[in-house]
Amino acid sequence: MWEKLDIITNNHVEFKDVTGEVQQVVTRSRLPTGMCYLYVPHTTAAVLINENADPDVMADIAAGLERAVPFAAGYRHVEGNSAAHIKSVLVGQNATLFIENSRLVLGTWQGIFFAEFDGPRRRQLYVKITGD
Amino acid sequence: MWEKLDIITNNHVEFKDVTGEVQQVVTRSRLPTGMCYLYVPHTTAAVLINENADPDVMADIAAGLERAVPFAAGYRHVEGNSAAHIKSVLVGQNATLFIENSRLVLGTWQGIFFAEFDGPRRRQLYVKITGD
Amino acid sequence: MWEKLDIITNNHVEFKDVTGEVQQVVTRSRLPTGMCYLYVPHTTAAVLINENADPDVMADIAAGLERAVPFAAGYRHVEGNSAAHIKSVLVGQNATLFIENSRLVLGTWQGIFFAEFDGPRRRQLYVKITGD
């Protein structure tokens, strides 16, 4: 089974913690063990897994990505959001997680974040669960 | 089942739309729902999912990656293609897609691209399909 | 079935070839065909697949990542390892491989590397095997 989660972003760049929403899909599946596949159906957004304890980490990730791939750098695409496309490619559309005892298997400090690079927008995150 | 798709690239850096070829593998599998796993068996190429509408986006992605990881930057590897290895790592060897109604689940503006960073070359893309 | 592999890193940045250890998990599973999912439960480490022939390639990948995302760049996170978090996000927590004839399907020049960006540390790599 799979579901489409609705995500609303409020800023140009935003990393939104969606760990709880994804876990709810796992819980609804009633599957004790399996896989959880995340997929972002957008070309200027992505999904990432990183620290959910100190919000400065997310601010630093945004700043580090901006340093490597600046929004203002003379691109050709007329919509003016080329850096968002590049960041989307670098961070990626996929994450794949294990399910054990009906819970996502995550490291102690890990959360799942929807990464917006061209917001604010209405977005979706696709979540598919398969049993072992 | 899985297949090896032959890919021919014609430029040093090239993003080749392979959405149609991957969908054909899905169609040949006759599986109505499942997963589609893509794998690049090369160390200077990758697979990415991004906009297939405006070709300027792909040109900008190539330029943005070049800005972040320049081909000429004094590397040690004697073959002189170290930046291609780095780009391959950053963009990645994997993509994982859902199959629904015998079709790849993609966002409205998304296509699947084979990313060449050390061409022109003969390449392969591995495509595996599993049913739910 | 899945296993937690113990990884010990000895340097600040280190790419450790774990291909053999991952293949041993595949072998222990006794599954002739299937999928092998790798997951890094850390926020300053990652997993990558790239050349295992010339060690200069790994040195160049480390240098290229450092050029794109320098460790010293004025971050906010007080632990001082923000660049390690960013590199972890860019390289990624996942790899997904095919299994055929009880062997990982890898390209001729490919190996699997655990990527440490904030070592030396004791780490883990999660490996899950599913049959087709």
Side-chain angles (χ1 to χ4, degrees):
Chain A
M1 53 88 78
W2 66 285
E3 293 189 21
K4 299 178 179 183
L5 297 179
D6 290 313
I7 312 273
I8 293 172
T9 62
N10 297 301
N11 298 292
H12 182 212
V13 174
E14 181 176 339
F15 299 144
K16 189 160 190 170
D17 191 332
V18 294
T19 315
E21 288 90 331
V22 176
Q23 175 58 48
Q24 286 171 20
V25 180
V26 174
T27 302
R28 282 195 286 274
S29 78
R30 296 173 180 271
L31 290 168
T33 63
M35 299 300 296
C36 174
Y37 302 96
L38 304 181
Y39 185 76
V40 174
H42 306 291
T43 60
T44 54
V47 60
L48 66 88
I49 295 171
N50 212 266
E51 181 173 326
N52 62 358
D54 177 358
D56 279 352
V57 170
M58 285 298 138
D60 283 345
I61 291 174
L65 288 174
E66 177 60 18
R67 183 188 173 109
V69 184
F71 276 108
Y75 301 104
R76 294 162 62 170
H77 182 47
V78 293
E79 291 182 47
N81 60 354
S82 285
H85 287 282
I86 302 167
K87 289 169 182 180
S88 165
V89 166
L90 290 175
V91 176
Q93 270 57 48
N94 281 124
T96 302
L97 296 137
F98 306 172
I99 299 168
E100 185 79 11
N101 298 321
S102 305
R103 305 289 302 173
L104 293 165
V105 174
L106 288 163
T108 310
W109 305 105
Q110 285 182 327
I112 304 165
F113 294 83
F114 184 90
E116 172 66 80
F117 295 116
D118 195 32
R121 293 216 198 190
R122 301 179 71 89
R123 300 289 204 174
Q124 289 192 309
L125 177 65
Y126 296 171
V127 184
K128 181 162 180 170
I129 314 290
T130 60
D132 284 343
Chain B
M1 51 88 77
W2 66 285
E3 293 189 20
K4 299 178 179 183
L5 298 180
D6 291 312
I7 312 272
I8 294 171
T9 62
N10 297 302
N11 298 291
H12 182 212
V13 174
E14 180 175 338
F15 300 143
K16 189 160 188 170
D17 191 332
V18 294
T19 315
E21 287 92 330
V22 176
Q23 174 59 48
Q24 286 172 18
V25 180
V26 173
T27 302
R28 283 195 285 273
S29 78
R30 296 173 180 269
L31 290 167
T33 64
M35 299 299 297
C36 174
Y37 302 96
L38 304 181
Y39 185 76
V40 174
H42 306 290
T43 60
T44 54
V47 61
L48 66 86
I49 294 171
N50 212 267
E51 181 173 326
N52 61 358
D54 178 358
D56 279 351
V57 171
M58 286 298 137
D60 283 345
I61 291 174
L65 287 174
E66 177 59 19
R67 183 189 173 111
V69 183
F71 277 108
Y75 301 103
R76 294 162 63 171
H77 183 47
V78 293
E79 290 182 47
N81 60 354
S82 286
H85 288 282
I86 302 167
K87 289 169 181 180
S88 165
V89 165
L90 290 175
V91 176
Q93 270 58 47
N94 282 124
T96 303
L97 295 137
F98 307 171
I99 299 168
E100 185 78 10
N101 298 322
S102 304
R103 304 289 302 173
L104 293 165
V105 175
L106 288 164
T108 310
W109 306 106
Q110 286 181 327
I112 304 165
F113 293 83
F114 184 90
E116 172 66 78
F117 295 117
D118 194 32
R121 291 214 198 193
R122 299 179 71 88
R123 300 289 205 174
Q124 288 192 308
L125 176 66
Y126 296 171
V127 184
K128 181 161 179 170
I129 314 289
T130 61
D132 284 343
Chain C
M1 53 86 79
W2 65 285
E3 293 189 22
K4 299 178 179 183
L5 297 180
D6 291 311
I7 312 273
I8 293 172
T9 61
N10 296 302
N11 298 293
H12 183 212
V13 173
E14 181 176 339
F15 299 144
K16 189 160 188 169
D17 190 331
V18 293
T19 315
E21 288 91 328
V22 176
Q23 175 58 47
Q24 287 171 17
V25 180
V26 174
T27 302
R28 283 194 286 274
S29 78
R30 295 173 180 270
L31 290 168
T33 63
M35 299 299 297
C36 174
Y37 302 98
L38 304 181
Y39 185 76
V40 174
H42 307 289
T43 60
T44 53
V47 61
L48 67 86
I49 294 171
N50 212 269
E51 181 172 326
N52 62 357
D54 177 358
D56 279 352
V57 171
M58 286 297 137
D60 284 343
I61 291 174
L65 288 174
E66 176 61 17
R67 182 188 174 110
V69 183
F71 277 108
Y75 300 103
R76 295 162 62 170
H77 182 46
V78 293
E79 290 181 47
N81 60 354
S82 285
H85 288 281
I86 302 166
K87 289 169 181 178
S88 165
V89 166
L90 290 176
V91 177
Q93 270 58 48
N94 283 123
T96 303
L97 296 137
F98 306 172
I99 299 168
E100 185 78 12
N101 298 323
S102 304
R103 305 291 302 175
L104 294 166
V105 175
L106 287 164
T108 310
W109 305 105
Q110 286 182 325
I112 304 166
F113 293 83
F114 184 90
E116 172 66 79
F117 295 117
D118 195 32
R121 294 215 197 191
R122 299 180 71 88
R123 300 288 203 175
Q124 289 192 308
L125 177 66
Y126 296 171
V127 184
K128 182 162 178 169
I129 314 288
T130 61
D132 283 342

